[in-house]
Amino acid sequence: MTLRRLHVFVYSMLLYTIPVGALAADVAAVQAEILERLQRLESRQAEMEQQLKDKDARIKELEGQLQGKPVTETTIREPQPDTGAPPVPPAQQAAAPDTEKKPSRLNTHTPGRGTTIAETDSGDINFRLYAYSRYLNQNALDNTYTDAFGNTRRIDRRQDFQVNKMNLFFYGWLMDPRFHYLSYVWTSNASQGRGAQVVVAGNMQYDFTDWLTGGVGIGSLPGTRSTEGNFPFWLGVDNRLIGDEFFRPSYTTGIWASGKPARSLKYQLMLGNNLSQLGVDAGQLNNGLNTWSGMLSWMPGGEYGAAFGDFESHRQPVTRFGLHFTRSEEDRQSQPGTEDIENVQLRVSDGSIVFTPGLFGAGINITDATYQMAAFDAGLKYKGYSVEGEYYLRWIDDLRGPNTDMLPFNELNDHGFQLQTSAMLIPKRLQLYLSGSKVFGEYGNPWDARLGVNLFPWQNKVVRWNTELLYLDDSPVGALSLPYTVGASGPVFHTNLEVNY
């Protein structure tokens, strides 16, 4: 029976049941009552139809959530909405606001930050992978070099393929969204068998305010721009210009503070065990806690970004100015091995290690020294172009050990610079860069220059193919994990496929 026929039937029945006298007395009142009853019936009919539509929509929603799983009676009767928000404890359910909750981030991927693999009301876990494979060709290097002290040494030139690094990161928050943790496994397969070839480490941080985050664990001393925490967003893949590598501090265990006291200002301060703890055990450290490093950066044109180069193609010019200082009292025992991952040694500018027995004369053995280094950086980014430079000043003094009173100097002084330029030839797709550095030292003036290309096949930084040609002149630094070696002179070619998931 249609709705209109139902209305006619009801109208006829009502007329039949109403006395004739009443109709004669007040026909208008009766008609008004009949119309009111009909309107209530229509309203009820519309309400029932809407309820049926809502139930149909809910059934379809449940079927979509179950993704093909059988729909049981219990499932339909007691559905569990996929809100993504943590469940409200029973004691708080009555007071919980009836508002829409944000969608779950579970199993979602953010380029460069990995995937959320677990999310609860007391924390979450995220996974990120960083890895790259490298083809390296050093066959065009000179096969020997002579250091500043007249010693001729052989260079082991390489040509090989390596899965050069594989890092697995797990990070998130616990108990309080302001309490963050980071744990990771860090490998350097080119250094198999060496100290710290595999590192299992991490740190914890708490965000007190925008201008104060406190942390403890393994961290990088912010002595140069590349150790502020911007790895792996460099122009090259996982290796620095030799000027930066020669002067910089490295990773150690300690405590730190960082934050933004103003919109355009950032700072970092760290107190650590030594300049580089990777490959150094606790028994080799002194008990002074006298390694500290600090950084202050100013970005007057707005957010500059941590990365080198202008992948984002800023529409307005942005600038950055940075100031760094590091001080550490080092001894020979607390220095990592020369081939340890992320090795940082106190070297003179020909690559010789300061703590080498007899380096500065027969019977003279430096066992303790104080390292101090200041760095100044500046950069400009605009429409895919960037120019970024850094200047270094380093002095090593307070030299101690057998017969150090016979040294012809009281301190070692070195300074140098690096300059990097880049251009996005095709926005978010193809980048060209040219860079170089030089060290001015008391035992030589080494330098390097580079020409490189970065291809981003998916127009983001998750996958990058990097190809680079560099030229070295008496490199003062090097390691198996790097494309250059100590004393190297000549061209080196390498190409890398990088994944930063």
Side-chain angles (χ1 to χ4, degrees):
M1 182 181 294
T2 65
L3 185 60
R4 180 170 296 276
R5 288 180 179 178
L6 177 63
H7 292 170
V8 172
F9 174 76
V10 173
Y11 185 82
S12 300
M13 293 300 295
L14 289 172
L15 288 175
Y16 178 79
T17 58
I18 296 173
V20 175
L23 286 172
D26 195 358
V27 175
V30 173
Q31 289 178 338
E33 183 181 354
I34 293 172
L35 290 173
E36 182 181 354
R37 291 183 185 183
L38 289 174
Q39 288 173 354
R40 285 200 298 267
L41 285 171
E42 291 178 351
S43 177
R44 180 59 180 166
Q45 179 76 14
E47 183 179 348
M48 292 175 65
E49 290 178 354
Q50 184 61 45
Q51 289 178 353
L52 289 173
K53 290 181 181 179
D54 291 342
K55 287 183 179 180
D56 289 340
R58 182 57 183 159
I59 290 173
K60 290 181 180 179
E61 180 183 355
L62 289 172
E63 289 175 347
Q65 291 177 3
L66 292 172
Q67 296 179 345
K69 296 182 180 179
V71 182
T72 64
E73 180 184 355
T74 304
T75 304
I76 297 177
R77 188 173 61 250
E78 298 178 358
Q80 300 297 321
D82 185 16
T83 63
V88 180
Q92 301 177 14
Q93 285 180 1
D98 185 19
T99 59
E100 183 180 357
K101 296 168 183 164
K102 67 178 183 179
S104 173
R105 296 183 300 111
L106 191 61
N107 297 325
T108 59
H109 172 242
T110 302
R113 295 188 59 82
T115 298
T116 300
I117 58 178
E119 187 176 46
T120 71
D121 59 342
S122 58
D124 65 9
I125 300 175
N126 302 272
F127 171 75
R128 185 167 77 87
L129 167 69
Y130 175 79
Y132 70 95
S133 296
R134 168 181 289 169
Y135 166 71
L136 174 67
N137 190 326
Q138 299 176 335
N139 286 337
L141 290 176
D142 296 343
N143 57 13
T144 62
Y145 82 98
T146 302
D147 64 23
F149 303 92
N151 303 305
T152 299
R153 306 179 189 277
R154 182 174 176 269
I155 291 180
D156 293 325
R157 296 175 295 184
R158 292 168 48 197
Q159 180 180 206
D160 53 42
F161 293 99
Q162 295 286 342
V163 179
N164 216 52
K165 184 168 284 187
M166 181 76 70
N167 295 356
L168 308 177
F169 298 91
F170 296 90
Y171 69 95
W173 64 272
L174 290 172
M175 307 312 294
D176 184 332
R178 294 176 295 177
F179 182 56
H180 308 277
Y181 69 89
L182 168 66
S183 61
Y184 53 87
V185 179
W186 182 4
T187 74
S188 175
N189 290 346
S191 306
Q192 289 279 3
R194 303 287 184 174
Q197 182 269 327
V198 176
V199 175
V200 181
N203 58 60
M204 295 170 285
Q205 298 189 104
Y206 190 86
D207 299 328
F208 293 96
T209 66
D210 289 342
W211 54 268
L212 178 59
T213 293
V216 60
I218 292 281
S220 57
L221 293 159
T224 66
R225 188 181 162 202
S226 69
T227 60
E228 289 181 13
N230 45 37
F231 173 82
F233 302 112
W234 304 339
L235 294 176
V237 172
D238 194 28
N239 77 95
R240 300 168 172 87
L241 293 162
I242 65 169
D244 191 3
E245 186 70 21
F246 177 77
F247 289 105
R248 73 178 178 91
S250 187
Y251 293 83
T252 191
T253 306
I255 59 175
W256 60 85
S258 62
K260 295 181 67 174
R263 187 180 66 87
S264 59
L265 288 176
K266 291 183 180 180
Y267 77 92
Q268 294 182 37
L269 294 171
M270 183 173 182
L271 174 66
N273 289 331
N274 67 344
L275 283 179
S276 179
Q277 195 175 334
L278 301 181
V280 177
D281 63 54
Q284 296 174 278
L285 298 170
N286 62 41
N287 59 0
L289 282 182
N290 43 37
T291 297
W292 63 272
S293 182
M295 178 280 295
L296 179 66
S297 65
W298 178 44
M299 293 162 286
E303 185 58 41
Y304 187 83
F308 288 81
D310 191 22
F311 178 87
E312 295 76 15
S313 295
H314 288 78
R315 295 186 177 276
Q316 299 295 329
V318 291
T319 54
R320 170 202 155 98
F321 302 93
L323 172 64
H324 313 255
F325 186 81
T326 305
R327 183 185 186 277
S328 182
E329 294 182 15
E330 295 287 303
D331 59 52
R332 182 167 59 194
Q333 191 176 19
S334 67
Q335 292 279 290
T338 56
E339 294 297 343
D340 287 351
I341 186 172
E342 284 293 321
N343 80 94
V344 168
Q345 296 282 342
L346 296 190
R347 300 177 184 269
V348 294
S349 57
D350 75 334
S352 300
I353 298 174
V354 170
F355 297 114
T356 303
L359 179 67
F360 300 105
I364 301 176
N365 297 327
I366 297 176
T367 59
D368 298 84
T370 298
Y371 159 101
Q372 298 180 84
M373 197 268 293
F376 312 89
D377 74 85
L380 169 66
K381 296 180 180 181
Y382 183 48
K383 292 186 176 180
Y385 297 91
S386 69
V387 179
E388 299 167 288
E390 193 162 15
Y391 187 78
Y392 313 94
L393 288 167
R394 188 196 71 173
W395 56 102
I396 300 174
D397 57 12
D398 195 19
L399 306 171
R400 290 165 292 171
N403 299 317
T404 51
D405 57 339
M406 299 172 57
L407 286 168
F409 51 83
N410 294 322
E411 63 181 27
L412 297 166
N413 293 283
D414 303 276
H415 62 104
F417 71 91
Q418 70 172 11
L419 182 64
Q420 304 189 69
T421 61
S422 69
M424 295 300 302
L425 301 182
I426 302 176
K428 297 187 182 300
R429 180 77 73 176
L430 185 64
Q431 182 182 51
L432 177 70
Y433 64 91
L434 178 65
S435 56
S437 70
K438 187 172 179 65
V439 176
F440 301 94
E442 299 181 32
Y443 294 87
N445 302 309
W447 59 273
D448 69 335
R450 306 184 183 207
L451 176 65
V453 176
N454 288 314
L455 175 65
F456 305 93
W458 283 279
Q459 296 184 320
N460 58 36
K461 295 183 180 180
V462 174
V463 178
R464 170 170 60 148
W465 180 21
N466 166 267
T467 301
E468 185 177 84
L469 177 65
L470 61 149
Y471 188 88
L472 304 158
D473 185 70
D474 295 331
S475 173
V477 287
L480 292 174
S481 62
L482 301 175
Y484 44 81
T485 185
V486 173
S489 292
V492 172
F493 174 82
H494 63 111
T495 186
N496 311 268
L497 182 61
E498 177 188 61
V499 174
N500 182 32
Y501 177 76

